[in-house]
Amino acid sequence: MSTANFTEKEINPLQSIEQWEDDVLVRYPEEGKPSKTKEEYRNYDSPERDTVREFYRLNHKYQTYDFVQQKREDFLQFNRKKLRVWDAMEFLNTLVDDSDPDTDLDQLQHLLQTAEAIRADGHPDWFVLTGFIHDMGKVLCLFGEPQWAVVGDTFPVGCAHSDKIVYPEFFEANPDNKDERYNTKYGVYEHGCGLNNVHMSWGHDEYLYQIVKDYMPEPSLYMIRYHSFYAQHRENAYDYLLDDHDREMFEWVKKFNPYDLYSKVPTPPNAKELRPYYEDLIAKYLPEEVCL
Ligand SMILES: [Fe+2]
Ligand SMILES: [Fe+2]
């Protein structure tokens, strides 16, 4: 299945990929902060909600075990672009959609806010750098990839879909749902086999993990690789696939998530002023250029 078979509406169901994150924030509001309840959210009658629903319908229908293998074969060749990390962020920033009035923050600002919040809490520098790069994999969108194959909650493929994943009813249309190899609780996996042996739905998390896996400390790699795996880090829906090491490392994934979701501040960070600090951090951990 190549992207060429999809219509423009199927490739870009969202006005901008930030709509997915806005939606996650409604689903997982910050504790103690007033927000719409889950019920209100489900019944919320708005074009935006319909857009997000459509996004998940496509995501859940097309993210099959085979789809993931195809994307891995294609993108893990890293033969598209070679860029300095900061330049990759600026490349990512060309994604900004001016037609979306709700988008008050560009990608670089989201990354800087996340990283600055981590830094303000006195965490180690590799944790700060993780905040800064965690969404770099979204450059997939700039290679013409469908939004539902770049962002969205991630989940294991090759085994039954948990009903703790958002909009579980849409998995009904996923061909793996009728495939005996993939539709049992364990599918192609074994109890406690460890997430390193589990294929996740394809998106910006796994893609960036593959780009930086030789360079960042292990807790950082877990944060990068599983930050959109809400069904696990928020709902513990796949405990039976995790091994003890995953459980230990998921403490870091859980620690990271609030910075990703709740670090928006009224004054956007000054990218120009912050750049030297982040360039130093990049130079300390990452190669001069990364292959995308
Ligand atoms: Fe992300
Ligand atoms: Fe993010």
Side-chain angles (χ1 to χ4, degrees):
M1 189 203 308
S2 88
T3 310
N5 300 332
F6 295 107
T7 64
E8 170 55 28
K9 266 239 148 316
E10 285 178 316
I11 293 172
N12 295 319
L14 303 173
Q15 261 189 310
S16 75
I17 54 171
E18 283 84 14
Q19 272 190 312
W20 164 64
E21 260 128 2
D22 293 347
D23 190 74
V24 173
L25 196 53
V26 179
R27 215 179 332 138
Y28 296 113
E30 190 167 11
E31 232 173 282
K33 293 263 168 83
S35 175
K36 292 183 195 84
T37 65
K38 267 195 184 174
E39 258 334 284
E40 269 178 274
Y41 154 70
R42 276 297 186 133
N43 301 328
Y44 198 42
D45 185 23
S46 83
E48 191 159 324
R49 206 90 302 141
D50 294 345
T51 302
V52 173
R53 261 181 72 87
E54 174 62 4
F55 165 80
Y56 276 114
R57 188 186 68 77
L58 294 161
N59 172 278
H60 290 6
K61 179 177 176 181
Y62 292 121
Q63 289 266 2
T64 62
Y65 188 82
D66 285 349
F67 178 81
V68 170
Q69 308 317 317
Q70 283 169 29
K71 289 297 165 193
R72 291 176 67 87
E73 261 168 53
D74 184 358
F75 281 96
L76 302 188
Q77 294 182 46
F78 303 111
N79 57 3
R80 285 174 171 77
K81 235 175 169 36
K82 205 171 178 186
L83 285 174
R84 296 186 68 254
V85 172
W86 187 275
D87 295 341
M89 297 314 176
E90 290 191 336
F91 176 52
L92 177 61
N93 239 13
T94 62
L95 251 182
V96 151
D97 176 7
D98 297 322
S99 69
D100 181 0
D102 294 336
T103 307
D104 44 11
L105 215 59
D106 62 36
Q107 293 293 330
L108 182 61
Q109 285 171 338
H110 165 62
L111 292 169
L112 285 171
Q113 291 198 347
T114 306
E116 284 295 290
I118 295 166
R119 177 150 77 133
D121 283 350
H123 289 298
D125 62 356
W126 54 262
F127 195 165
V128 179
L129 180 59
T130 303
F132 180 62
I133 63 173
H134 77 277
D135 280 340
M136 196 171 96
K138 288 179 182 172
V139 294
L140 284 169
C141 271
L142 295 160
F143 300 136
E145 288 301 287
Q147 289 167 333
W148 47 264
V150 179
V151 295
D153 295 36
T154 58
F155 53 85
V157 294
C159 61
H161 306 107
S162 165
D163 59 9
K164 297 255 177 68
I165 303 167
V166 66
Y167 292 118
E169 62 273 23
F170 287 141
F171 285 117
E172 194 53 44
N174 185 307
D176 287 359
N177 218 27
K178 312 230 155 38
D179 190 319
E180 285 172 4
R181 291 170 296 172
Y182 306 136
N183 66 3
T184 60
K185 179 177 177 186
Y186 290 102
V188 299
Y189 310 115
E190 274 164 35
H191 185 87
C193 64
L195 287 180
N196 199 32
N197 295 305
V198 171
H199 287 293
M200 300 292 295
S201 55
W202 178 252
H204 71 286
D205 304 51
E206 178 68 19
Y207 181 52
L208 179 62
Y209 163 76
Q210 294 287 344
I211 293 169
V212 300
K213 66 179 176 190
D214 295 331
Y215 308 107
M216 297 297 288
E218 217 195 351
S220 161
L221 295 176
Y222 266 80
M223 295 188 253
I224 288 168
R225 197 176 196 183
Y226 301 111
H227 73 271
S228 305
F229 189 8
Y230 284 89
Q232 182 56 35
H233 68 68
R234 287 281 185 154
E235 311 287 344
N236 299 309
Y238 286 94
D239 277 341
Y240 48 92
L241 293 178
L242 270 61
D243 61 21
D244 287 343
H245 186 62
D246 292 329
R247 268 182 277 280
E248 202 188 314
M249 287 295 129
F250 259 65
E251 292 307 311
W252 291 99
V253 181
K254 288 175 188 168
K255 204 177 277 197
F256 173 76
N257 186 242
Y259 293 110
D260 191 8
L261 288 188
Y262 312 132
S263 61
K264 258 189 198 175
V265 288
T267 352
N270 186 328
K272 213 176 150 211
E273 263 169 39
L274 292 168
R275 181 169 177 168
Y277 170 79
Y278 286 95
E279 288 279 16
D280 282 351
L281 265 192
I282 293 164
K284 181 172 171 187
Y285 289 97
L286 296 168
E288 182 64 25
E289 290 183 312
V290 285
C291 293
L292 306 175

